[in-house]
Amino acid sequence: MSLRRDLVAAAALAVAVTSAGSPASAQAPAASEPGLRPAHFVLPKPTGPAFDPHTVLVKFKPGAGARSRALAAGKATVQRELPGAGFVKVTTTETAETALASLRKDPSVAAVSLDYRRHLTATPADPYYALSQQPYLSTLRLPQAWDVVRDATSQVIAVVDTGVYLTHTDLAARIVPGYNVLSPGTPPADSDPNNPSNTNAGHGTMVAGIAAAHSNNGRGIAGAAWASRIMPVKVFPASGGAVDSDIATGITWAADHGATIVNLSLGGPADDPVLHSAIQYATGKGALVVVAAGNEGSDRPQYPAAYPEVLAVGATDRTGSRTDFSSYGDWVDVAAPGFDITSTFPHWNLSGGMSTDYATGSGTSFAAPLVSGIAALVRAKLPSLSPAQVLARLKATARDAGPRGLDPYYGAGIVDAARAVGGSYGAEFPQPAMGPGEPNDVPARATLARSVTLGTFGAEGDVDWYHFDMTTTSAMTMTVRGPKADATRAQNADPVLELYDQDLHLLGRSDGLGVDATENIKGELSPGTFYIAVRNFNGAIDSRTYELEVAGYGVPSPALVPGGEQEWIRDVAPADFSTGLAQSVAPSVTF
């Protein structure tokens, strides 16, 4: 199937590649398309340290009477004695600043201070961290991981991509010598985004920044690895796709020149032994290969993500819910945020005389480097681990999300950076609450379809079954109308409508391309029981309701006859997405 979510900008997608020897027609990311946008945030004005508004810290001179008079004058009461230097913590009915001014004038007070608030030393000073990054980096528990390990300078992350903007102030100090596969001997520089024909410009620079931008330097963003090194390897031209021979050359070069992690934010549906061999070579040289799962929003395997040696990364939003564009399947290993991700970008001239060196975009391309950065932290903390052991550790410590246990949407779960580097456990993400009418996950629990019935896709992979009875032969129409597509949402429904007879033989399927498509099946039905299945093509949650309509169709229609396919499962126990069951419950299937 082709890409379903027209709203996702190509600039935010995992780059499509062509197999060696095939036409170079696959699409690479395009900076000019909607969805990739300049990161212009209103930076707060510098302020002093924050403090408790009704607390001051006071050290009194000897003499109990003087202390009591001073507290009364400052309208303050002692909350508790502080150990050490003789200070007491007092609370005041006035503002802390007023109490501070009053107590400073009192001759019985030796010293007085506001009760300033401090932050974890691992909270980076980069302005976009607070303005944009913190919510999705917290989903990965990266701030807690930084409290355990920040020095990952021993790790080299190879960004095999479109090159990197080598003089970017948030990247330059982190870059080690790289390689330009397309033009050996020239720098592996990213293309100029101000040239509209350079549709690939900026992708590699964004990937590099997400993984390893210079953190805590007071500018721009914080890289996931906090402090590691970036090896730019250019395999994509300014526009169009890359061929596997160039990608394989880049991977091999990176492995031969000290890369400990290789990030591949690229992919396509073709399996190629040349590409696979390069990945096996890099793994054998000690490099962990991290790959974007792809952005087709389908279960069609993407390569190199589907190769068993790599860590394949799907995309979520900042709450941990899988995005609708993220490809899925049993080859996906873990998930990480990949929606509205802010990163470094080549210098970009905008309208009105404005310019920026940062951009925000969405795609599994931007989930993968977050995991590459976390892998760098793991390898810095535990340098004896092999690539396979790092991969296994990231999966074993991931936090469960979506359907419980291993599933094709999140794999082992959302990466938990803190636990992966030896910190505390993080709580599992809650399973989404199912909507009204659930469970109707199999024909045996089908909901009666009335003239108009409302439903929702309450969990990843949710399939809703409905039934209705015909007493006379009539022309009927079955219609599903999904909620309107919204580019600001990470999840949009793309309904698929199927009609079955009483023996669960398929009578018709409607699966138009695009999240705004209305699905419709028309035809003449004989007396009997019929079943309708409604599923979301991209497998994502959408809390908004869709509308199922079953109605008579006044115009004579050809009879609907079985199309050869059959749904074999009529009932399962327990129901999909069940919770709170005893471990002794035995599953059963009725065919």
Side-chain angles (χ1 to χ4, degrees):
M1 304 290 287
S2 61
L3 178 66
R4 304 290 292 247
R5 193 181 200 255
D6 300 330
L7 304 171
V8 179
L13 304 183
V15 184
V17 300
T18 57
S19 300
S22 62
S25 58
Q27 293 299 305
S32 60
E33 297 197 23
L36 180 67
R37 56 189 186 279
H40 277 311
F41 298 95
V42 178
L43 299 180
K45 295 180 180 179
T47 60
F51 51 84
D52 189 293
H54 296 290
T55 301
V56 290
L57 308 178
V58 188
K59 184 177 183 179
F60 293 101
K61 294 177 181 178
R67 170 172 166 166
S68 297
R69 287 191 299 273
L71 289 171
K75 298 181 181 180
T77 57
V78 174
Q79 187 181 62
R80 62 187 175 92
E81 304 279 344
L82 300 180
F87 279 85
V88 295
K89 181 174 182 176
V90 302
T91 57
T92 173
T93 57
E94 299 177 320
T95 65
E97 298 101 316
T98 301
L100 179 73
S102 175
L103 289 166
R104 275 177 174 168
K105 298 174 183 178
D106 196 298
S108 63
V109 174
V112 62
S113 171
L114 295 171
D115 198 0
Y116 290 109
R117 299 185 191 278
R118 308 292 175 180
H119 301 282
L120 291 172
T121 56
T123 300
D126 312 277
Y128 285 170
Y129 173 77
L131 292 168
S132 174
Q133 293 183 283
Q134 190 171 15
Y136 60 79
L137 295 184
S138 295
T139 300
L140 295 165
R141 302 185 71 229
L142 258 169
Q144 294 92 327
W146 291 334
D147 284 336
V148 177
V149 57
R150 271 170 271 165
D151 184 5
T153 53
S154 61
Q155 303 303 306
V156 178
I157 302 174
V159 177
V160 180
D161 212 291
T162 66
V164 173
Y165 187 50
L166 302 173
T167 58
H168 198 292
T169 55
D170 232 1
L171 299 175
R174 298 287 179 228
I175 294 175
V176 300
Y179 184 56
N180 188 335
V181 176
L182 305 180
S183 181
T186 62
D190 210 336
S191 301
D192 181 5
N194 299 293
N195 183 341
S197 64
N198 293 344
T199 54
N200 288 344
H203 191 271
T205 302
M206 290 190 72
V207 168
I210 292 166
H214 193 159
S215 299
N216 204 37
N217 63 345
R219 62 166 61 93
I221 65 166
W226 189 280
S228 70
R229 293 179 288 168
I230 302 165
M231 176 186 288
V233 179
K234 186 179 179 72
V235 298
F236 276 87
S239 61
V243 293
D244 284 351
S245 55
D246 289 339
I247 296 170
T249 300
I251 294 170
T252 302
W253 189 94
D256 284 340
H257 289 80
T260 55
I261 295 154
V262 176
N263 188 94
L264 301 176
S265 289
L266 49 84
D271 180 4
D272 187 343
V274 171
L275 187 59
H276 194 183
S277 294
I279 287 169
Q280 291 172 324
Y281 178 83
T283 303
K285 294 281 286 188
L288 173 67
V289 182
V290 181
V291 184
N295 303 284
E296 284 198 346
S298 76
D299 60 355
R300 180 165 67 163
Q302 301 292 301
Y303 297 92
Y307 293 135
E309 297 84 3
V310 310
L311 184 68
V313 184
T316 74
D317 62 15
R318 61 185 56 190
T319 71
S321 294
R322 175 184 161 271
T323 63
D324 55 22
F325 56 76
S326 186
S327 294
Y328 59 94
D330 58 8
W331 42 273
V332 172
D333 294 304
V334 292
F339 186 81
D340 278 355
I341 306 299
T342 301
S343 188
T344 49
F345 199 74
H347 191 71
W348 195 3
N349 296 323
L350 307 171
S351 60
M354 300 178 68
S355 62
T356 185
D357 293 323
Y358 297 89
T360 298
S362 301
T364 59
S365 276
F366 305 146
L370 284 170
V371 177
S372 289
I374 294 168
L377 295 176
V378 173
R379 301 203 80 171
K381 179 70 174 177
L382 303 165
S384 65
L385 295 186
S386 68
Q389 289 172 323
V390 176
L391 189 156
R393 185 177 183 89
L394 289 169
K395 292 176 66 175
T397 57
R399 293 197 285 163
D400 197 10
R404 300 298 82 172
L406 289 170
D407 64 76
Y409 306 104
Y410 297 87
I414 295 174
V415 172
D416 184 340
R419 183 58 186 159
V421 297
S424 62
Y425 283 99
E428 293 181 349
F429 290 84
Q431 183 166 327
M434 302 299 288
E438 298 287 354
N440 60 348
D441 54 323
V442 290
R445 286 188 285 272
T447 300
L448 177 63
R450 305 182 186 279
S451 56
V452 175
T453 307
L454 301 181
T456 60
F457 298 115
E460 287 84 3
D462 186 19
V463 181
D464 294 334
W465 282 87
Y466 302 88
H467 72 90
F468 64 94
D469 294 323
M470 296 291 296
T471 57
T472 61
T473 299
S474 300
M476 300 292 292
T477 178
M478 286 61 63
T479 304
V480 168
R481 302 179 185 88
K484 186 173 178 58
D486 182 350
T488 66
R489 294 176 56 89
Q491 297 85 24
N492 283 273
D494 181 3
V496 177
L497 175 66
E498 295 169 333
L499 177 67
Y500 296 85
D501 66 14
Q502 62 187 7
D503 295 318
L504 299 181
H505 289 101
L506 183 68
L507 297 176
R509 175 184 287 124
S510 179
D511 181 17
L513 296 179
V515 293
D516 270 334
T518 295
E519 309 301 342
N520 190 279
I521 298 173
K522 297 179 181 179
E524 186 177 275
L525 299 179
S526 302
T529 298
F530 297 88
Y531 293 92
I532 295 172
V534 181
R535 68 187 77 233
N536 190 0
F537 175 85
N538 60 55
I541 289 174
D542 193 334
S543 59
R544 301 171 298 169
T545 57
Y546 64 80
E547 181 180 280
L548 170 65
E549 181 180 0
V550 179
Y553 185 56
V555 179
S557 298
L560 291 170
V561 296
E565 295 183 44
Q566 182 166 16
E567 180 68 32
W568 290 101
I569 296 177
R570 186 176 293 275
D571 194 9
V572 297
D576 285 353
F577 317 116
S578 297
T579 58
L581 299 175
Q583 291 186 347
S584 58
V585 172
S588 64
V589 180
T590 303
F591 292 96

